[in-house]
Amino acid sequence: MAANRIEIDLPEELAAKLLRAAEPLGISQLSEAAIVAIADWAARRGAELDDRDPSQKYIVNEALDELIAKKNP
């Protein structure tokens, strides 16, 4: 899998918050904490967008909607 590389300068306060939040997960590297934070943000944002536009739901949600529709005709 090819990785996309970005370089960012984080304010000290944000870097400290990231490391503090990541510490209980055993994450001690700022770069790894940032990757986890970005992944979490992307997942949450994706879920928000799915909620706004039903046509953008995940396949699993569509399957669940079909099952519910069959149960409640």
Side-chain angles (χ1 to χ4, degrees), residues 3-41:
N4 293 307
R5 182 174 173 80
I6 62 170
E7 187 173 322
I8 57 173
D9 293 318
L10 294 177
E12 287 295 323
E13 185 178 325
L14 180 55
K17 285 181 181 179
L18 274 174
L19 287 173
R20 193 170 35 249
E23 186 179 352
L25 301 172
I27 298 171
S28 61
Q29 296 294 315
L30 182 57
S31 59
E32 187 178 353
I35 290 169
V36 171
I38 291 168
D40 181 64
W41 178 85

Side-chain angles (χ1 to χ4, degrees), residues 45-62:
R45 185 67 180 130
E48 288 174 14
L49 293 172
D50 286 348
D51 288 344
R52 288 186 200 166
D53 185 356
S55 69
Q56 297 297 317
K57 288 183 180 180
Y58 294 114
I59 293 170
V60 173
N61 289 344
E62 290 174 5

